[in-house]
Amino acid sequence: MKRQVNMWYASRTWPNGSSRTTPTREALGVEEVKRQRWLENLGDSSATDITKTGTRQFQTEQIPKNMSQTRSERNEPTISVVIPVYEQPQLLAEALESVNEQTVDDIEVIVVDDASDTDFKPIVDRHGDRVRLLRHAENRGAAEARNTGIDAAHGEYVAFLDADDRWTPTKLEKQLEVFKRDDADLGLVYTGFVQYQLDGTEWERYPDARGDIYREELVRDRVHPTSTVMVRLECLKRAGGFDPSLPSRQDYDLWIRIAEHYEVDYVDEILVDKREQPDSISKDFDSRIEGDLAVFEKVKDRAADLGMVTRSRIFSYHHHVIGRDYGSNGKRWKALQHLGLAIIRYPFRPISWAMFVITLFGIDRNGPLLTFAKQFIR
């Protein structure tokens, strides 16, 4: 059962056969309330506190006097690119170069330095006025850095780029084309990506979920990592931004909140290069497990009104993810506990059985055989 929202609704059918009742643009009042726009004096007082649900309340500003002006007449870019960064100046330089190579010109770039010791100003200054550098006085994490960028965004759309990733030149153009051929029901567009691992291996992932994916997203994350995503700014304002109280999986949590109210689509191409780093959150299994558990609690609340079979599938997959990460962290018995619950909840997922056997017999998941097999089952 969908959560009730006091809006007018319109029905829509997607290519995959799914349909959804979604709010019309008139109901959303796009031009009735404009979001906060500011360029400087960015600090802890720039936005209100995170609520206990983890949604950020963004402030609004005065309604512009001449709403008939186009974005270009108001000197507002179409796309805001938000890049959070902590140290690693060379990676930031490469990320900015990939933005500079985009085939779309109508963009602004907001680099948010999360209290690094490095001075990024010389790097940013090489790219002219369309790149702004904002700085946190203290380290607050990538989620808060992205939220700071959202606060400062002027564009109709926001695209996120991690400093250690790169875009292919047509990435923004192709996502914008998807938005332009659609209407206000569409909130998020993502792309495929290639992941380069520290051990020299690489693997690709193509998108496969579009339309009303809310229930699918509760089962597991169908939207790809942050650097693949472009979102309407109004959707981010409504959904509340990234939840900095989560130690990991902040992106998945936000995609769920966006999918609850908006449709999702994708560009079926590999348009992002993701490069694993030694200090990546994916290697911090304690934080990953804490994030897994915290997000699972949120998902449980959302799934309370769903049918028993759907809830079982949702709970099963989250137990699978938690068990997998416990196994990666060397906590074998906790891993077996959650993998066992995954099988009990939904015994028709072969990967949970395989992971249970691998964990039970202590098979090295990073050995050559399983490393090879992972490329075909991701």
Side-chain angles (χ1 to χ4, degrees):
M1 178 183 295
K2 280 290 182 187
R3 302 186 179 196
Q4 297 299 314
V5 183
N6 294 323
M7 289 185 173
W8 300 337
Y9 286 81
S11 182
R12 181 141 185 248
T13 301
W14 280 77
N16 62 5
S18 66
S19 62
R20 184 181 194 181
T21 302
T22 50
T24 62
R25 180 176 286 273
E26 290 79 9
L28 290 171
V30 174
E31 296 296 350
E32 293 180 30
V33 180
K34 298 299 290 180
R35 302 296 181 178
Q36 180 187 16
R37 307 283 192 242
W38 46 274
L39 293 172
E40 57 187 357
N41 298 325
L42 217 110
D44 291 345
S45 62
S46 63
T48 60
D49 292 338
I50 303 299
T51 70
K52 63 182 180 180
T53 60
T55 58
R56 183 185 183 94
Q57 304 300 314
F58 293 94
Q59 298 173 347
T60 59
E61 64 177 2
Q62 295 288 328
I63 300 173
K65 293 181 179 180
N66 187 358
M67 296 302 296
S68 63
Q69 287 183 319
T70 64
R71 298 191 68 83
S72 60
E73 288 172 336
R74 298 198 300 267
N75 293 319
E76 293 181 346
T78 299
I79 302 171
S80 298
V81 177
V82 174
I83 306 177
V85 62
Y86 181 72
E87 304 303 349
Q88 299 178 315
Q90 182 57 39
L91 292 179
L92 175 63
E94 293 173 9
L96 284 171
E97 188 59 35
S98 80
V99 176
N100 195 49
E101 293 170 354
Q102 292 298 299
T103 53
V104 174
D105 293 325
D106 189 17
I107 65 176
E108 66 170 354
V109 184
I110 304 164
V111 176
V112 183
D113 172 15
D114 196 27
S116 305
D117 292 329
T118 302
D119 181 10
F120 293 112
K121 191 173 185 301
I123 297 173
V124 168
D125 286 349
R126 293 202 295 263
H127 296 271
D129 293 339
R130 75 171 182 174
V131 181
R132 284 184 284 155
L133 176 63
L134 307 177
R135 189 175 190 278
H136 285 169
E138 60 183 22
N139 185 267
R140 293 155 61 182
E144 276 285 31
R146 294 187 185 102
N147 285 340
T148 295
I150 295 169
D151 272 330
H154 291 161
E156 183 178 359
Y157 308 95
V158 177
F160 301 101
L161 177 61
D162 290 348
D164 49 0
D165 298 335
R166 289 179 61 91
W167 289 338
T168 62
T170 59
K171 191 261 188 186
L172 295 182
E173 177 185 0
K174 291 183 176 181
Q175 287 181 296
L176 193 59
E177 288 173 356
V178 176
F179 273 114
K180 293 301 185 183
R181 67 172 180 249
D182 221 291
D183 55 26
D185 295 341
L186 181 60
L188 181 152
V189 175
Y190 65 108
T191 76
F193 68 97
V194 57
Q195 176 75 53
Y196 296 99
Q197 302 287 95
L198 289 173
D199 61 8
T201 61
E202 62 184 73
W203 46 272
E204 296 179 341
R205 182 169 293 173
Y206 285 85
D208 62 1
R210 58 159 45 114
D212 175 8
I213 69 165
Y214 177 61
R215 290 195 181 191
E216 297 176 65
E217 192 69 5
L218 289 176
V219 175
R220 66 181 179 90
D221 190 3
R222 306 299 298 274
V223 178
H224 288 172
T226 317
S227 292
T228 72
V229 169
M230 182 189 289
V231 191
R232 289 187 192 273
L233 180 60
E234 67 186 57
C235 301
L236 289 167
K237 304 290 189 178
R238 182 182 183 191
F242 294 90
D243 181 356
S245 72
L246 295 172
S248 64
R249 307 202 75 188
Q250 302 99 334
D251 52 352
Y252 175 40
D253 172 66
L254 178 56
W255 309 156
I256 289 174
R257 284 184 271 122
I258 290 174
E260 182 180 16
H261 300 294
Y262 298 92
E263 310 287 357
V264 168
D265 207 342
Y266 58 73
V267 179
D268 194 16
E269 297 180 42
I270 303 294
L271 299 177
V272 178
D273 293 344
K274 287 191 59 61
R275 298 176 290 179
E276 187 180 39
Q277 301 300 317
D279 57 351
S280 169
I281 188 67
S282 65
K283 297 300 181 184
D284 183 352
F285 290 105
D286 287 332
S287 294
R288 279 179 58 173
I289 292 167
E290 289 178 29
D292 292 340
L293 293 169
V295 168
F296 189 21
E297 291 303 312
K298 288 190 173 190
V299 169
K300 284 179 183 177
D301 290 340
R302 290 177 170 274
D305 295 332
L306 302 179
M308 184 178 66
V309 174
T310 301
R311 285 202 313 273
S312 292
R313 289 182 60 239
I314 291 171
F315 291 3
S316 170
Y317 195 81
H318 284 270
H319 279 300
H320 170 89
V321 170
I322 295 166
R324 178 200 65 192
D325 288 345
Y326 268 128
S328 297
N329 206 22
K331 298 181 179 179
R332 183 180 178 190
W333 295 112
K334 280 188 173 291
L336 289 171
Q337 177 186 356
H338 283 278
L339 291 170
L341 288 171
I343 293 169
I344 291 170
R345 282 285 192 175
Y346 190 75
F348 309 109
R349 186 177 288 113
I351 188 64
S352 294
W353 288 93
M355 190 68 68
F356 186 89
V357 171
I358 289 169
T359 305
L360 180 65
F361 290 100
I363 300 172
D364 183 7
R365 286 171 50 190
N366 295 316
L369 179 60
L370 289 184
T371 299
F372 177 78
K374 286 178 192 175
Q375 300 179 56
F376 301 96
I377 62 175
R378 289 186 184 275

